Amino acid sequence: MSSVFDDLVGQEHITHILKGAVAASRTQEESQEMTHAWLFTGPPGSGRSSAAVAFAQALICSNNGCGTCTDCNSAKTSGHPDVEIIRTEGLSIKVEEIRELLTRVSWAPSMGGWRVVVMEDADRLTESAANALLKAIEEPGTRTVWLLCAPTLHDLLPTIRSRCRHLQLRTPSLEAVTQVLINRDKITPTMADFAARISQGHIGRARYFATNESVRSNRKTIMQLPLQLDSLAAAFK
């Protein structure tokens, strides 16, 4: 049976914890396995945001994250009324944005048992925004779950991270990335191995490279440039 956690490459230790939390969440009580605030950290390409979104899908799915139902699909695209996915293209997340968010998530879940907030770039919170979020985490709604993502623990206020259950993701192995490209994206073994190596375990970059001929062509051109620099003038040019 398929699962939203199938896409978490090389993160079996995280998948085990999240599945246990989903099972515990069905009891409608906070427990050691299921708590109201989580912090996902890991290097680029480890899939910290993907893990948080998959967890959100599983919490609101009646089949524990089947990946195929309407709830799973709408949650992934930020179209589910009980799931908020906060993505920002700016340099910071300001206090006004957090206050507006807190107003929305103060409502009871409209469809399922949980209202879930995924914040993909929690490290971009300004100090005032972080303090506003801290109060919400300290006094959470009974059915609200906060899933924060950041590169490292030290990117968030100590008071926030101390109130979250921390999950550390790791860079997937080259073998794991190669296999997912072969099995899921139908990439040839030779190309999958090459893409995994040059992406250094970053699954998104590996897939992008393996499926785009123009990207591979540009890389080849760039890699040949140093061989053409036989003079100072050529270097300037």
Side-chain angles (χ1 to χ4, degrees):
M1 182 178 178
S2 63
S3 167
V4 293
F5 298 114
D6 292 344
D7 288 342
L8 302 186
V9 182
Q11 309 297 341
E12 290 77 14
H13 62 303
I14 299 297
T15 298
H16 176 73
I17 293 172
L18 295 180
K19 286 183 175 179
V22 171
S25 73
R26 305 310 183 198
T27 66
Q28 306 295 315
E29 296 179 1
E30 184 165 327
S31 64
Q32 185 175 358
E33 291 78 18
M34 179 61 196
T35 187
H36 74 282
W38 299 72
L39 174 56
F40 297 79
T41 65
S46 60
R48 54 181 183 264
S49 296
S50 297
V53 171
F55 189 27
Q57 291 174 280
L59 287 174
I60 56 92
C61 173
S62 58
N63 293 316
N64 300 328
C66 64
T68 58
C69 68
T70 301
D71 285 338
C72 282
N73 290 329
S74 60
K76 186 175 183 177
T77 58
S78 201
H80 194 284
D82 291 334
V83 178
E84 291 260 2
I85 301 180
I86 310 302
R87 300 182 173 102
T88 180
E89 296 181 357
L91 296 177
S92 64
I93 301 175
K94 298 179 172 57
V95 65
E96 293 80 9
E97 299 173 70
I98 295 300
R99 286 172 179 164
E100 181 182 346
L101 171 64
L102 296 180
T103 299
R104 294 197 303 271
V105 302
S106 63
W107 308 328
S110 60
M111 295 179 63
W114 296 97
R115 182 174 290 279
V116 189
V117 181
V118 178
M119 187 171 294
E120 292 193 346
D121 300 293
D123 52 303
R124 300 187 190 183
L125 288 163
T126 64
E127 184 176 355
S128 54
N131 286 326
L133 178 61
L134 172 62
K135 184 174 181 181
I137 293 178
E138 286 178 327
E139 303 172 5
T142 55
R143 308 305 301 167
T144 300
V145 181
W146 294 89
L147 310 179
L148 310 181
C149 306
T152 72
L153 272 175
H154 302 293
D155 290 312
L156 290 178
L157 290 178
T159 46
I160 288 182
R161 62 180 186 247
S162 67
R163 288 163 175 79
C164 297
R165 183 173 182 182
H166 177 221
L167 298 180
Q168 173 71 48
L169 282 77
R170 57 198 176 203
T171 300
S173 67
L174 297 181
E175 292 78 11
V177 175
T178 299
Q179 285 304 310
V180 77
L181 290 178
I182 294 172
N183 298 333
R184 187 174 63 194
D185 301 298
K186 310 305 178 186
I187 306 299
T188 63
T190 301
M191 177 59 69
D193 178 71
F194 183 47
R197 291 179 185 279
I198 66 171
S199 68
Q200 297 181 326
H202 191 302
I203 182 64
R205 285 200 295 259
R207 183 186 296 114
Y208 185 66
F209 179 86
T211 57
N212 287 271
E213 173 63 33
S214 62
V215 174
R216 297 196 296 272
S217 178
N218 289 340
R219 179 184 182 275
K220 183 177 181 180
T221 299
I222 293 171
M223 294 297 289
Q224 291 175 341
L225 285 178
L227 301 177
Q228 302 170 13
L229 304 181
D230 54 2
S231 67
L232 185 61
F236 276 110
K237 182 178 178 181

